[in-house]
Amino acid sequence: MDQAELTTELVLSRDIPWETYMSTKLISSTSLQLLRRYDHRSESHRAQLLDDDGPSYVRVFVRVLRDIFKEDTVEYVLALIDEMLAANPKRARLFHDSTLADEDTYEPFLKTKGLSLLIAFLLQKIKCYIALERKLVHTREKLISPFSDNSVRPKNQNGVVSNGEASNGKKPFTTIDDVLIGLVKWLCEQLKKPFHPTRGVPTAINCLATLLKEPVVRSSFVQADGVKLLVPLISPASTQQSIQLLYETCLCIWLLSYYEPAIEYLATSRTLPRLIDVVKSSTKEKVVRVIVLTLKNLMSKGTLGAQMVDLQLPQVVQSLKAQAWSDEDLLEALNSLEEGLKDNIKRLSSFDMYKQEVLLGHLDWSPMHKDPLFWRENITNFEENDFQILRVLITILDTSSDPRTLAVACYDLSQFIQHHPAGRIIVTDLKAKERVMKLMNHENAEVTKNALLCIQRLFLGAKYASFLQV
């Protein structure tokens, strides 16, 4: 049977030959007795057994997973663990009980077969218990806290100290970080090649939405180049299933927005345009909320604020604010995002920023270039140092080979002509006309369009320039 179709109830209906395993010395007589008491019993009976001696049963489960490789049996024990944790997630702390200091409780789950079965079967219910165990690992740490260093920590008969480190050169115990790193690797593989055509990706994304709260998971996910696997999943959704997948994908992006190495990738990928496209059309409040919170986090990072302005996010925010949202946190986040965008526009529209861009010789369509207020308020600043910035702008027409830079330079010259009282005369005196006219035959349409606009304004002068369409 396809493992993706397995259910806990179906697997737990199996009869496992425990006696055969004891006769072949794969389990001990003590383990057999415990399994007989627990196997095929009522939920209340099992709960009482776990309350009375939970660590002993966990020890048996771990040893079966470690020593027995028959798939039906592995699935069965995983189902027992699933059922145990589903009934009471706090039982995860049983795996960290001090009496299990001599057991590597994580290692069996990292076996190739064990990990695949664990995810395909247990996580079918979207229960990321390992994340819960991460939070409960402090149970063991508290037990060893009175000891200041490894030299005085108690060792068991195998020479293993309680914090999971091996002495006498023995292999260290598997740590929770080992588990999480292995799990992240597997989840990335599922995003590339799902174990089930319809359940594989949603299961992996759901698990990541829980696990990415952990620093080690964020680091491992970025190192595994996992961020790029999320971007294609950010697209408008209509069905309930696709909306949930979209929400959890955006939740992953939000969690990654707190991690600088991930932000570097988000800034250079299609993440931002996709998020804005989704938030423009989505009516699902939880989707809009998580995207707005993500954009709020990213706004102050590098050039992302400028990109948001360029992608017309201020207009999108205005539209979103006009809608009737019931979530007060969403309304607060929208107001905060709007204020942040205004600050970005103000900062990006300063003449100092403009000077820096021109002097570097790399121009782009940042907000200030097409902002009439910027030109009105700063037009006299162009007169500084004998029109230094204007002279550099004209020089760029000769020296740059970048079509975008040339197009923006032509446009800026047209704006100077329009807004400065003597703009036409100054630009003519600086012999800009001949340089702009050469660009009217440029192979790039954007360059020719803006070169034509500049020449038109140069010939018409400021009086008629405002009638020209940009």
Side-chain angles (χ1 to χ4, degrees):
M1 177 181 292
D2 186 345
Q3 289 174 0
E5 304 299 330
L6 291 176
T7 64
T8 302
E9 294 74 16
L10 182 62
V11 175
L12 289 178
S13 66
R14 297 172 181 169
D15 289 317
I16 305 299
W18 301 120
E19 288 79 5
T20 301
Y21 288 137
M22 191 196 74
S23 65
T24 55
K25 301 188 183 303
L26 287 173
I27 62 173
S28 65
S29 58
T30 302
S31 295
L32 177 61
Q33 291 175 11
L34 290 169
L35 287 166
R36 281 175 172 171
R37 291 177 196 163
Y38 195 90
D39 204 16
H40 295 298
R41 301 287 182 164
S42 67
E43 183 179 341
S44 58
H45 183 80
R46 288 176 173 176
Q48 188 60 54
L49 292 175
L50 292 171
D51 289 342
D52 293 342
D53 195 13
S56 294
Y57 289 93
V58 168
R59 183 190 297 273
V60 172
F61 296 155
V62 169
R63 287 183 175 178
V64 169
L65 292 176
R66 182 192 66 196
D67 298 332
I68 296 175
F69 299 94
K70 187 173 174 56
E71 191 167 299
D72 285 355
T73 304
V74 172
E75 290 173 349
Y76 187 83
V77 174
L78 289 175
L80 291 178
I81 297 173
D82 176 44
E83 182 186 60
M84 175 184 81
L85 294 173
N88 184 357
K90 291 184 178 179
R91 288 173 179 159
R93 63 170 53 115
L94 294 174
F95 287 81
H96 304 287
D97 191 84
S98 60
T99 61
L100 297 176
D102 61 335
E103 291 285 349
D104 191 343
T105 54
Y106 294 127
E107 190 274 336
F109 295 100
L110 286 181
K111 293 185 295 186
T112 302
K113 175 63 75 173
L115 184 58
S116 299
L117 292 173
L118 175 66
I119 304 298
F121 174 66
L122 290 183
L123 292 188
Q124 190 177 170
K125 289 185 166 186
I126 320 299
K127 298 290 186 181
C128 296
Y129 296 118
I130 295 178
L132 177 61
E133 291 178 14
R134 171 70 166 172
K135 297 176 183 177
L136 294 173
V137 74
H138 299 296
T139 304
R140 178 177 290 179
E141 292 176 352
K142 288 179 181 178
L143 291 171
I144 63 173
S145 61
F147 304 98
S148 60
D149 57 68
N150 290 348
S151 62
V152 294
R153 286 177 181 164
K155 298 178 181 177
N156 59 44
Q157 60 188 2
N158 296 321
V160 179
V161 293
S162 299
N163 69 342
E165 296 176 357
S167 62
N168 302 327
K170 291 188 177 181
K171 181 182 178 181
F173 269 19
T174 307
T175 66
I176 182 61
D177 285 356
D178 295 329
V179 176
L180 294 173
I181 291 169
L183 186 52
V184 166
K185 182 179 178 182
W186 193 89
L187 291 170
C188 287
E189 289 300 318
Q190 293 311 302
L191 293 177
K192 296 175 186 175
K193 189 177 180 181
F195 69 86
H196 188 278
T198 59
R199 300 180 188 177
V201 170
T203 296
I205 290 295
N206 185 281
C207 192
L208 284 168
T210 299
L211 294 176
L212 282 169
K213 298 171 185 176
E214 298 295 326
V216 66
V217 173
R218 294 178 192 174
S219 174
S220 300
F221 188 67
V222 171
Q223 289 177 22
D225 213 12
V227 183
K228 73 176 183 182
L229 303 175
L230 300 177
V231 178
L233 301 176
I234 307 172
S235 59
S238 54
T239 66
Q240 187 61 40
Q241 184 178 9
S242 61
I243 289 172
Q244 185 62 23
L245 176 61
L246 172 62
Y247 167 70
E248 290 176 350
T249 301
C250 293
L251 186 59
C252 290
I253 299 294
W254 173 67
L255 291 168
L256 289 168
S257 71
Y258 290 94
Y259 185 56
E260 288 296 332
I263 292 173
E264 293 177 11
Y265 182 86
L266 296 176
T268 57
S269 67
R270 291 281 302 164
T271 305
L272 208 56
R274 283 177 171 269
L275 287 174
I276 294 174
D277 283 344
V278 168
V279 82
K280 279 194 297 189
S281 58
S282 180
T283 57
K284 202 68 175 177
E285 201 163 56
K286 66 179 184 179
V287 173
V288 174
R289 181 179 62 248
V290 73
I291 292 178
V292 168
L293 290 172
T294 302
L295 295 172
K296 180 184 170 186
N297 279 358
L298 295 174
M299 184 170 48
S300 61
K301 307 297 184 181
T303 62
L304 286 171
Q307 290 182 46
M308 291 179 193
V309 175
D310 195 41
L311 291 166
Q312 300 184 328
L313 183 59
Q315 295 90 320
V316 175
V317 171
Q318 285 291 327
S319 175
L320 290 172
K321 288 185 66 178
Q323 299 180 41
W325 305 107
S326 60
D327 189 335
E328 292 184 3
D329 290 339
L330 173 55
L331 295 173
E332 182 181 343
L334 282 169
N335 288 331
S336 177
L337 181 58
E338 182 181 43
E339 289 303 312
L341 288 168
K342 287 180 179 177
D343 290 342
N344 263 278
I345 292 173
K346 184 176 180 180
R347 178 173 56 82
L348 291 168
S349 298
S350 71
F351 193 70
D352 287 339
M353 288 289 293
Y354 181 82
K355 285 172 60 177
Q356 181 181 1
E357 188 177 340
V358 172
L359 292 173
L360 287 173
H362 300 290
L363 306 181
D364 205 344
W365 292 116
S366 51
M368 71 191 99
H369 296 281
K370 294 191 175 183
D371 182 5
L373 183 61
F374 166 79
W375 290 100
R376 287 196 298 268
E377 291 184 348
N378 294 286
I379 195 65
T380 58
N381 292 331
F382 281 84
E383 299 174 4
E384 296 174 358
N385 300 320
D386 192 24
F387 296 95
Q388 178 197 21
I389 294 302
L390 187 63
R391 292 174 184 274
V392 174
L393 196 62
I394 294 171
T395 301
I396 286 174
L397 299 178
D398 282 334
T399 59
S400 179
S401 59
D402 175 50
R404 177 61 56 83
T405 295
L406 293 172
V408 176
C410 289
Y411 179 85
D412 286 0
L413 282 174
S414 74
Q415 293 299 299
F416 178 81
I417 294 168
Q418 179 179 348
H419 290 89
H420 196 284
R424 181 184 181 188
I425 297 171
I426 295 168
V427 170
T428 301
D429 287 347
L430 294 174
K431 303 187 184 309
K433 183 174 70 172
E434 296 79 3
R435 301 172 187 181
V436 175
M437 290 188 70
K438 289 181 181 178
L439 295 175
M440 290 177 63
N441 295 319
H442 197 278
E443 60 183 10
N444 183 275
E446 187 180 25
V447 176
T448 57
K449 172 187 173 182
N450 286 281
L452 177 60
L453 175 68
C454 183
I455 290 298
Q456 287 174 332
R457 285 181 172 167
L458 190 59
F459 285 151
L460 291 173
K463 182 178 179 180
Y464 302 101
S466 58
F467 293 99
L468 295 175
Q469 295 296 316
V470 177

